Amino acid sequence: MSEEKNVGVGIVFEEPVGASPLRIESLVPGSGADACGELKQGDELLTIDGVDVEGKSAADLAKHFQGPAGTTVILTLRRKDAEDEEKDVNLEDEVVVVEVPRIEFSIDGEQFVPWINFQQADADSARTRISEGIRKGADRLWAGVAPLQGSLMKQMKNLQTSVQNNALFENISNRAIMVKQVATSAALPVLKNIQREVTPQVDPKPKDYCMHLYTFPDKFVIMPPVLPVPSSKAAKREAIVIDRSSIEISCIAVEEAESMVRGKAKAEVMGVLGIANLMHASYLILCTGRQTVANLHCGVIYKVSSTSVRVLNKRSDPNPLELSNRAIEYKLLEELLDTFNMYFSYDWDVTQTQQRLAEKFHSTFHQSFNGTYEQRENRFIWNHNILKTFSEVHHTGCLLPVVSGFVGIRSIPLPSDRTADLIVMGRRDWRRSGYRYLSRGVDAEGHVSNSVETEQIISQVPSTSLDAAKGAAAPGEQKSTVSSFVIVRGSIPLIWTEADAFMNLKHKPKPELGDDSEHGNPLSKHLMELTGHYGQIAILSLVEQKESSHERPLGLAYERMVQEAKNGGVVFIPFDFHNICGKLAFRNLPLLVNECVSQLESH
């Protein structure tokens, strides 16, 4: 079995003399350097992905040339016209920037002869110099393309170095670091006690549902997964072919794809997250690692543990600024993917609550591969926008809709030596996401900032693997009891903001509230959507109510606007959480429970 490996670009450098720069001596036929057609003998290497190479040898730079097949390396070179050099004309040297692809290539010792400058001599002398040139060229080539060990081989780490060493983009780099830090601190789950007990498990069956990516200079081919339990209802297995230039996507029969990729290197992937069409290029985003976080009665839930980004088409002809911008764009995309906790399941539609599954499919067991993409709850598919490119190929099984949020599970004891699973799932709504203070309120369509649907599931089926559960009895014969309790939280659905005060570094930014005339329509849309999804709802407002609080006017306006909306199915419960349960006084929570019970019973 051939797996994807790190490859070089196939450049052989002249042996430097003293402090002389590295000059290209030859290119390996069939390599990425040969295929790009823009490198010339005698070009002097200045930078690799923005890293200055002065005073470094080819062996020192090997780690920068190495990378997964299908990626690229950006070289800055000084080029002197041969005629000008011979005439010793004092002209300004040309500086060129070349993007060189990393593709697999072979070295044939008999066919590969480096460019060697030698004068006419007898045949024996010429053969000797050619043999010596081959030996030196092979030694230097090995230094440039030999695989390295350990963590130095992580994809595109050289881009990070490029950004950090480029003063022009220092602010952007710092901004990316700040965003990551803010996201990390903001993403700490409320249920940290449950999270502490959840240790990601080793994937029990790592080959189940695995797919394979094949990289070609002009396309990507993604082979669909092999289902662990073949089903007559399973969708037809087709491979996805993505044209790297036009981003045209097509499906072909698995048999045809197998003949196309036979003998080619492959990378194991867990699924396709989508294609991001950004300013400077388009990028294919893949899930390359997964961790098991929960084995439930209806399937296994995984957390995305690693992702990979592959460059597709470029937006314009490469120039130094364009290539630098693309490198920064690539880095920021990688940083962004690291800020999200993303979860998925091959067996269960994780975008749906158990209540919706029971209503839509008359069962709590629903296989994602048998269901269609359109049957999912769109507002919780975190990668919805980047999956749009695949709108015609949703049935292949290669696509991986994910939810962003939290998944935790623990076992709880029951009478008669029985146990049950307590599962908490949080699903973030992508339609108005954002960081705290920077995104507040409701938009014109009724979507509120930072909306999260949290579901508490209690299942009296022991936490076992899906296969074990199916082996004991058919899914319809499983004696299980499943309960589901759902709450939705989000920003107060009025027109208001705290962004200006926050950006001015106010410790407690004062909300800026819009006029009553602005709130009515968005609030009505929001309440209508909630009742449409969940039926009769109760609103629990935890806004601080003391006179001096900046939050008080916001809470009063919210209660007033809900009453004016005259939606008979809505119960409004104000509770001053900060005053009653502040400073960790959670012993007072029964007061909140009693308030909710009395209000709900009165309605």
Side-chain angles (χ1 to χ4, degrees), residues 263-285:
K264 300 293 184 180
K266 61 186 177 182
E268 193 173 80
V269 298
M270 307 301 132
V272 178
L273 295 176
I275 292 178
N277 297 308
L278 303 184
M279 183 178 297
H280 301 286
S282 295
Y283 305 91
L284 174 65
I285 304 175

Side-chain angles (χ1 to χ4, degrees), residues 39-70:
L39 299 176
K40 295 183 179 181
Q41 181 187 11
D43 286 349
E44 296 178 3
L45 183 63
L46 301 178
T47 67
I48 304 176
D49 286 324
V51 178
D52 190 357
V53 303
E54 184 177 1
K56 298 179 181 179
S57 66
D60 296 331
L61 301 173
K63 62 183 179 182
H64 296 288
F65 286 107
Q66 288 288 314

Side-chain angles (χ1 to χ4, degrees), residues 191-241:
L191 301 173
K192 57 184 178 182
N193 292 330
I194 294 181
Q195 187 186 41
R196 191 179 297 116
E197 293 193 5
V198 178
T199 302
Q201 308 167 26
V202 177
D203 192 347
K205 292 177 291 182
K207 300 304 177 185
D208 284 357
Y209 299 105
C210 283
M211 306 157 211
H212 290 108
L213 171 74
Y214 296 85
T215 302
F216 297 84
D218 60 335
K219 62 180 174 289
F220 291 112
V221 177
I222 305 170
M223 297 295 288
V226 177
L227 303 185
V229 181
S231 170
S232 58
K233 297 181 181 180
K236 180 182 178 181
R237 296 183 67 240
E238 292 182 320
I240 294 179
V241 179

Side-chain angles (χ1 to χ4, degrees), residues 272-543:
V272 178
L273 295 176
I275 292 178
N277 297 308
L278 303 184
M279 183 178 297
H280 301 286
S282 295
Y283 305 91
L284 174 65
I285 304 175
L286 305 162
C287 171
T288 54
R290 66 189 182 192
Q291 293 174 324
T292 302
V293 294
N295 285 341
L296 307 179
H297 63 285
C298 49
V300 182
I301 296 180
Y302 299 96
K303 180 179 180 179
V304 175
S305 60
S306 63
T307 58
S308 178
V309 179
R310 305 299 174 94
V311 180
L312 292 171
N313 70 339
K314 288 80 174 176
R315 294 299 185 199
S316 60
D317 294 333
N319 57 68
L321 181 59
E322 172 71 18
L323 294 175
S324 296
N325 287 338
R326 190 185 308 159
I328 293 170
E329 188 174 72
Y330 189 107
K331 170 185 164 55
L332 292 179
L333 180 57
E334 286 191 319
E335 292 277 350
L336 182 66
L337 290 171
D338 288 341
T339 63
F340 302 128
N341 291 325
M342 296 182 287
Y343 301 89
F344 66 94
S345 175
Y346 300 111
D347 312 297
W348 176 27
D349 184 357
V350 293
T351 68
Q352 304 279 4
T353 64
Q354 292 292 300
Q355 299 172 16
R356 287 194 293 268
L357 288 175
E359 292 173 358
K360 290 185 177 183
F361 306 105
H362 309 289
S363 171
T364 56
F365 186 88
H366 171 60
Q367 283 198 328
S368 298
F369 276 110
N370 293 341
T372 65
Y373 181 87
E374 289 73 16
Q375 289 175 317
R376 301 176 189 273
E377 192 64 37
N378 177 275
R379 58 198 166 119
F380 298 126
I381 301 177
W382 192 247
N383 53 335
H384 163 75
N385 285 323
I386 60 176
L387 280 176
K388 287 180 179 179
T389 311
F390 296 90
S391 59
E392 302 300 324
V393 293
H394 282 156
H395 63 283
T396 66
C398 294
L399 305 184
L400 205 62
V402 297
V403 297
S404 178
F406 173 80
V407 176
I409 182 171
R410 66 162 32 159
S411 181
I412 55 176
L414 297 176
S416 303
D417 296 327
R418 294 182 300 144
T419 61
D421 288 333
L422 169 63
I423 305 104
V424 175
M425 294 188 62
R427 307 175 180 94
R428 297 177 64 188
D429 190 329
W430 59 265
R431 295 175 299 178
R432 191 169 165 78
S433 60
Y435 295 123
R436 187 181 182 188
Y437 297 120
L438 299 181
S439 181
R440 294 294 204 191
V442 66
D443 63 14
E445 301 302 319
H447 306 144
V448 297
S449 294
N450 300 307
S451 177
V452 180
E453 177 188 77
T454 302
E455 180 181 19
Q456 175 185 284
I457 304 170
I458 298 179
S459 171
Q460 293 188 34
V461 174
S463 181
T464 58
S465 69
L466 183 62
D467 283 354
K470 287 186 175 182
E477 299 172 357
Q478 290 290 315
K479 294 182 179 180
S480 62
T481 302
V482 178
S483 67
S484 170
F485 177 71
V486 179
I487 63 173
V488 179
R489 58 92 48 208
S491 187
I492 291 179
L494 302 178
I495 305 297
W496 63 286
T497 181
E498 288 178 321
D500 292 341
F502 176 69
M503 296 306 291
N504 290 327
L505 304 180
K506 299 290 185 180
H507 176 60
K508 288 188 176 181
K510 184 177 180 180
E512 299 177 14
L513 186 62
D515 297 332
D516 284 3
S517 59
E518 300 179 73
H519 307 314
N521 192 41
L523 176 61
S524 296
K525 290 182 178 180
H526 177 65
L527 295 179
M528 288 178 61
E529 182 182 62
L530 289 179
T531 54
H533 285 304
Y534 305 102
Q536 186 173 358
I537 60 174
I539 298 175
L540 176 61
S541 173
L542 303 179
V543 174

